[in-house]
Amino acid sequence: MTFDHKDNLMTGSIGFKDTTQKTSDVLQDMIRAMEGEHITLRDLLAKMGESGLLIICALISLPFLVPVSIPGVSTVFGAGIVLIGIAITFNRLPWLPSKIADRQLNREKLVPVLERGVKILRKVDRFVKPRLLFLTRGPGMNRFNGLVLTAAGLLLMAPLGFIPFSNTFPGLAILFLSAGIAQRDGVLVLASYVMNVVTVVYFGALGYAAFFAGSTLIKLGS
């Protein structure tokens, strides 16, 4: 899978191929290559090159594998994942507007989170292998998985980063789906479906709790 880096537009069709390169190794190489005080999503895409959009999605999900995420990051990365998910759904490489691709993120805050992600990925990589292949192959499954990835990105963008695990659950869904498709592991793909459902249930519970608390306060004040 290859893509051509241009100013604001990437074009062409995509075809997902098997890869033997571990996601943790790709991330470690990228961290070592980071320079300067800030980094952008465009920088991450450029550093990854032909390693693929799915690995990019896995990498940018890593900052959310902690209970409370860095403020502002979920909106930027979530939007990028939504665009990539839409591109996968239509089998096209994504268009990334400058506002998303070029927004600067603090390297000093981002790198330690990514380094913790490397440790997590090394544990995950030991269990990744080809299985349940019907969940990772074919135009129909690619479109469906693209929609699932888009949904996870939208859930990640919800302005609830200050609430524990509100970004962690969709972050895990994105990580599992990206790694699962990239390395043909249907078990991880299935796990991503489950995490998306868990996220929706969790958000629903938060909404109900907020509604109940508001109703209680109104009753007490009346």
Side-chain angles (χ1 to χ4, degrees), residues 25-139:
D25 293 335
V26 175
L27 176 58
Q28 189 67 69
D29 291 343
M30 189 191 71
I31 292 174
R32 290 171 182 161
M34 282 185 179
E35 298 177 352
E37 184 179 351
H38 295 91
I39 192 165
T40 66
L41 182 57
R42 189 186 302 281
D43 293 333
L44 297 178
L45 288 168
K47 290 178 186 298
M48 291 300 301
E50 295 181 357
S51 297
L53 296 174
L54 293 171
I55 294 180
I56 285 291
C57 287
L59 295 183
I60 62 181
S61 73
L62 296 178
F64 312 107
L65 301 187
V66 294
V68 180
S69 303
I70 303 170
V73 174
S74 65
T75 301
V76 178
F77 283 5
I81 289 169
V82 167
L83 291 174
I84 291 173
I86 293 172
I88 291 173
T89 302
F90 293 99
N91 196 37
R92 304 293 297 179
L93 290 168
W95 171 77
L96 297 178
S98 295
K99 186 175 181 180
I100 293 173
D102 296 326
R103 179 172 174 176
Q104 292 187 337
L105 302 169
N106 189 287
R107 177 182 174 275
E108 185 177 349
K109 294 180 179 179
L110 187 60
V111 168
V113 176
L114 293 178
E115 288 176 340
R116 288 196 294 271
V118 170
K119 296 179 181 179
I120 296 173
L121 283 176
R122 293 209 187 281
K123 296 178 181 179
V124 173
D125 282 342
R126 291 182 295 177
F127 303 99
V128 175
K129 59 183 178 181
R131 48 191 169 176
L132 297 183
L133 299 180
F134 69 94
L135 291 175
T136 69
R137 289 178 172 170

Side-chain angles (χ1 to χ4, degrees), residues 151-172:
L154 289 171
L155 292 170
L156 186 64
M157 291 179 68
L160 301 172
F162 59 94
I163 299 177
F165 303 108
S166 61
N167 286 338
T168 304
F169 293 150
L172 284 171

Side-chain angles (χ1 to χ4, degrees), residues 177-206:
L177 184 59
S178 303
I181 299 175
Q183 300 191 35
R184 303 305 187 194
D185 191 336
V187 170
L188 281 182
V189 172
L190 187 60
S192 76
Y193 300 164
V194 173
M195 291 310 304
N196 260 346
V197 173
V198 168
T199 304
V200 172
V201 172
Y202 184 59
F203 284 4
L206 290 175

